[in-house]
Amino acid sequence: MQFQASIPIYLQIADLIEMWILQGRLEQGMQVPSVRQLALELQVNPNTVQRAFLELESAGVIITKRATGRFITDDKAKLEQMRQKILTERTSEFIKTMREFGLDDAAILALVEANADAMKEGL
């Protein structure tokens, strides 16, 4: 994984785990990889992964079960809240970028519709 210098690595790892959840790579109730395993996979310090896990725990996305490890929460409402947060953030970033290119709301919507149609057609 390529990390951005402007964002703390532990936050990028937390975001990555959230994306894995949204993509189904990690499902609710599933055990999360260990700190060491994920640190090796991402080639980062285990303390950085630990900090990402603490961030996700404080958000209620993962839970720790004593002596068995960390797991994705079973709380569907919490996972849906996380999903909506990510979708809102990504949409806001996209809109901001399009406005920086000088597009108004109507042009942004037209662009989205045109690209959605092209994707449906396999272009």
Side-chain angles (χ1 to χ4, degrees), residues 22-42:
L22 293 177
Q23 294 167 345
R25 181 172 169 182
L26 293 172
E27 298 175 3
Q28 76 182 65
M30 181 183 276
Q31 188 166 12
V32 178
S34 71
V35 169
R36 285 187 182 154
Q37 181 182 357
L38 195 53
L40 282 173
E41 183 179 330
L42 299 176

Side-chain angles (χ1 to χ4, degrees), residues 50-63:
Q50 177 67 24
R51 193 163 177 197
F53 283 169
L54 291 174
E55 185 78 16
L56 292 168
E57 272 189 286
S58 70
V61 174
I62 62 174
I63 56 171

Side-chain angles (χ1 to χ4, degrees), residues 30-92:
M30 181 183 276
Q31 188 166 12
V32 178
S34 71
V35 169
R36 285 187 182 154
Q37 181 182 357
L38 195 53
L40 282 173
E41 183 179 330
L42 299 176
Q43 299 179 357
V44 297
N45 186 302
N47 291 331
T48 305
V49 174
Q50 177 67 24
R51 193 163 177 197
F53 283 169
L54 291 174
E55 185 78 16
L56 292 168
E57 272 189 286
S58 70
V61 174
I62 62 174
I63 56 171
T64 298
K65 295 182 181 177
R66 193 173 190 166
T68 57
R70 291 183 172 91
F71 296 82
I72 304 302
T73 185
D74 284 327
D75 185 345
K76 290 181 183 181
K78 179 58 71 178
L79 294 176
E80 181 58 27
Q81 179 184 9
M82 177 195 71
R83 179 179 177 277
Q84 288 302 319
K85 176 183 153 267
I86 291 170
L87 291 174
T88 299
E89 288 171 355
R90 297 281 175 103
T91 303
S92 295

Side-chain angles (χ1 to χ4, degrees), residues 11-27:
L11 290 177
Q12 293 178 65
I13 293 171
D15 288 346
L16 176 65
I17 293 169
E18 287 178 338
M19 288 304 300
W20 287 349
I21 294 167
L22 293 177
Q23 294 167 345
R25 181 172 169 182
L26 293 172
E27 298 175 3

Side-chain angles (χ1 to χ4, degrees), residues 97-121:
T97 301
M98 294 301 102
R99 286 184 176 153
E100 288 171 354
F101 286 129
L103 299 176
D104 62 13
D105 290 349
I108 294 170
L109 286 172
L111 179 67
V112 169
E113 289 173 353
N115 280 285
D117 290 343
M119 290 179 74
K120 285 179 191 173
E121 296 171 9

